[in-house]
Amino acid sequence: MAAIFLHQLRDNLQSLRFQISLVILLLFFGANGVIYTMKTGHLADEVTRITRLNEERYGRVETTADAASTSYKIRCAEVGTEFMAEAGSDWFRYAMYVNPGSGEIPGFASSRTTNRWMRRFEVVDWAVIVRYVLSFLCVVLAYNAVCGERENGTLLLVLTNSLSRGRFLLAKVGAHLATLLAATLAGSLLSLLILVLGGVLEPDGEVWLSYAFFLLGTTVFITLFLLLSTGISALARSSASSLVLLVTAWTVLMVVIPQTSYLAAVTAVKSPRGIWQQIDTHEREVRMALQREGVEPRPPELARGDDFALEKRYAQRIQEMEKGKDRIRLESLDQEIRQFEVARSVNMLSPGFAFQYSLEALLRNGIERFRSFTRQGWDYRETLREFLRGRDAADPDSPHVLFLSEYMSQEKLDPRHIPRFEAVPLPLSESLAAGVAPILILVLETALAFFFALWAFNRSEVAG
């Protein structure tokens, strides 16, 4: 078995196929390093600008009442490994406007891409390189793993010795796996080197742990495709027919299935449309009803005569309206997430996306990160309101009508005391819990590929 492994490994390293594959991988990983060096630098400038503008917004607050009527922009912190798995960072809305004022709801800021059509293009992260480039190189390297040996007559010669078919299969797949992993290591380390030299990456413990997760997921994914390629090679009558069958299988698994996910999602779950129109309609109806009933805020000097009784009724109705708006917005978000989950379920039939989502879970990125940030944004509104309640309660001259800025404390407020938003990274345990399904599917598909390859090889002819 060792002799077969070493012989195949030497043949791979000397073959033009491997040399071309190595060059291709180096080019893709090198391009990844350059692209993300530029992109991360641009993003850092954007973050600095947003932080400065946000601090200016905080700095303009002079009173408690001002703080209650100001919108604060918050954003989700970078994971730091987007170059490995971007996970939708270009189109998930990782920024929110939060206003503690009564009747307001947290609203998402626009995504980082200024051109919405550009979201349709995949970014060149490591996950995409592995999904498309490396999986296809598995096909190129192993399409004649068995049928080529049969055509050359060497398969019959090897198996006439005491070597079993199972051990021969493991030696061949192991040699191809070692070859492609060596190329992946070279390419990924080149990408890391470019990122470090570009000053956008600090190779700390978190980065190396993420790198280990990437290599683990990549090893399982490559093994799956090599086993699939070897099994089809064993069933095919010739190298040419094996290549055609494998390219067809690769196209179905990596292109056709993912292309059906969008159609399945929009068919199964109604697209959330007209959400802001619904919110505006709800607010307009409530305010018109208040006007008809004559429940409207009065000037503070006049309202003080009956201890702001009308304003308190008004504030209560506005808070009820706010709950309705909150419900509409949350239902919309839930629809968007359910639609994405349907698409993800279809995509996981493809080994490439089972790998993609497994890697996202290991790197604490993707849909669970978006969910976590959304919860934190809504929680931040409550943090601001709790702070403002305390400030307003401490002022005996305040009307204490929360959260209508005209009827809250006019005491001076040091902007530095306003709670700042601090994004909490998604815990690995929570991310892994959400990623159990794709991880299990990837492992199961690999196991099935192993049994398929073993079955195909055991029933194949050893002589052409």
Side-chain angles (χ1 to χ4, degrees):
M1 180 176 174
I4 299 295
F5 174 84
L6 292 174
H7 177 74
Q8 184 63 62
L9 186 61
R10 184 178 64 252
D11 284 351
N12 284 346
L13 296 176
Q14 293 175 349
S15 69
L16 183 61
R17 275 184 292 177
F18 168 73
Q19 293 166 8
I20 293 175
S21 301
L22 178 61
V23 171
I24 291 174
L25 280 176
L26 289 176
L27 286 174
F28 270 94
F29 277 108
N32 167 271
V34 173
I35 290 171
Y36 273 88
T37 297
M38 298 170 61
K39 184 174 183 176
T40 306
H42 174 73
L43 183 58
D45 293 340
E46 183 179 348
V47 170
T48 301
R49 181 181 61 82
I50 291 174
T51 302
R52 176 177 54 80
L53 292 175
N54 219 28
E55 283 303 315
E56 290 177 0
R57 186 186 297 264
Y58 281 107
R60 287 195 293 269
V61 172
E62 297 182 355
T63 66
T64 301
D66 290 341
S69 60
T70 300
S71 294
Y72 306 94
K73 186 173 184 179
I74 63 174
R75 61 180 306 278
C76 186
E78 302 298 312
V79 175
T81 55
E82 282 80 6
F83 61 93
M84 294 185 189
E86 183 96 24
S89 293
D90 274 349
W91 50 274
F92 275 153
R93 292 161 296 187
Y94 287 122
M96 295 176 69
Y97 286 105
V98 177
N99 189 319
S102 186
E104 302 291 341
I105 61 173
F108 285 106
S110 59
S111 63
R112 293 173 191 155
T113 51
T114 55
N115 184 341
R116 291 175 180 266
W117 287 101
M118 293 303 291
R119 300 180 198 175
R120 297 174 179 266
F121 293 88
E122 293 226 50
V123 293
V124 188
D125 58 13
W126 288 9
V128 166
I129 295 173
V130 172
R131 273 168 44 207
Y132 292 115
V133 181
L134 206 53
S135 63
F136 194 78
L137 292 180
C138 288
V139 171
V140 171
L141 202 61
Y143 76 92
N144 63 345
V146 177
C147 57
E149 298 280 2
R150 186 193 303 127
E151 290 169 345
N152 294 334
T154 55
L155 182 61
L156 178 62
L157 179 63
V158 170
L159 295 181
T160 53
N161 297 317
S162 58
L163 186 67
S164 67
R165 293 195 180 201
R167 297 178 69 188
F168 178 83
L169 176 67
L170 290 177
K172 296 285 284 187
V173 172
H176 291 319
L177 177 62
T179 303
L180 289 174
L181 279 180
T184 303
L185 277 169
S188 57
L189 289 174
L190 172 63
S191 178
L192 286 175
L193 179 62
I194 294 173
L195 290 166
V196 171
L197 293 178
V200 298
L201 179 67
E202 292 289 339
D204 55 15
E206 285 289 328
V207 171
W208 290 119
L209 178 62
S210 298
Y211 186 51
F213 284 146
F214 165 76
L215 291 177
L216 176 63
T218 300
T219 300
V220 176
F221 179 68
I222 293 176
T223 302
L224 188 159
F225 259 94
L226 287 174
L227 288 168
L228 178 64
S229 301
T230 304
I232 291 180
S233 177
L235 294 176
R237 293 183 176 276
S238 65
S239 296
S241 60
S242 174
L243 183 58
V244 171
L245 287 172
L246 279 169
V247 170
T248 302
W250 182 90
T251 303
V252 171
L253 292 173
M254 303 303 295
V255 180
V256 176
I257 291 177
Q259 288 296 319
T260 64
S261 64
Y262 174 80
L263 179 61
V266 297
T267 302
V269 181
K270 182 181 178 182
S271 299
R273 295 180 182 276
I275 300 304
W276 293 112
Q277 288 85 346
Q278 292 181 42
I279 291 174
D280 290 342
T281 300
H282 177 65
E283 180 171 358
R284 187 167 56 252
E285 290 174 351
V286 171
R287 293 191 183 277
M288 288 177 65
L290 288 171
Q291 286 181 358
R292 288 194 299 269
E293 297 170 19
V295 181
E296 293 185 318
R298 299 166 295 180
E301 299 79 11
L302 180 61
R304 195 176 296 273
D306 60 0
D307 194 26
F308 301 93
L310 193 64
E311 286 67 30
K312 290 175 181 177
R313 287 175 55 195
Y314 178 83
Q316 183 179 2
R317 295 282 293 276
I318 293 297
Q319 288 167 10
E320 292 172 358
M321 177 193 73
E322 178 188 285
K323 292 178 181 178
K325 292 167 66 175
D326 285 354
R327 185 179 62 255
I328 294 171
R329 189 70 186 109
L330 290 172
E331 287 175 354
S332 168
L333 290 175
D334 183 62
Q335 274 186 297
E336 290 180 356
I337 290 174
R338 284 191 290 115
Q339 197 173 66
F340 175 83
E341 286 178 336
V342 170
R344 184 169 66 168
S345 298
V346 175
N347 278 337
M348 279 193 289
L349 297 174
S350 164
F353 275 92
F355 163 76
Q356 171 84 37
Y357 299 137
S358 298
L359 186 60
E360 289 177 7
L362 292 169
L363 299 184
R364 296 181 296 175
N365 209 341
I367 187 65
E368 290 308 314
R369 178 170 167 240
F370 173 71
R371 277 175 163 156
S372 176
F373 171 64
T374 302
R375 290 194 301 269
Q376 292 178 49
W378 287 72
D379 290 344
Y380 178 60
R381 180 175 68 170
E382 292 307 309
T383 299
L384 287 172
R385 286 183 164 182
E386 188 62 31
F387 167 76
L388 294 173
R389 286 189 189 100
R391 294 285 306 191
D392 186 76
D395 181 6
D397 296 327
S398 171
H400 305 308
V401 183
L402 306 175
F403 287 91
L404 298 180
S405 59
E406 299 89 340
Y407 307 95
M408 290 184 67
S409 172
Q410 299 296 325
E411 288 288 330
K412 291 293 184 180
L413 172 63
D414 188 341
R416 293 174 297 181
H417 294 162
I418 301 174
R420 294 328 194 242
F421 176 77
E422 294 183 7
V424 178
L426 177 67
L428 181 59
S429 58
E430 186 177 334
S431 183
L432 287 177
V436 166
I439 292 173
L440 288 179
I441 288 174
L442 181 63
V443 172
L444 178 61
E445 288 176 340
T446 304
L448 290 175
F450 170 75
F451 288 115
F452 165 71
L454 193 61
W455 168 81
F457 193 25
N458 283 332
R459 73 183 298 274
S460 67
E461 299 291 334
V462 298

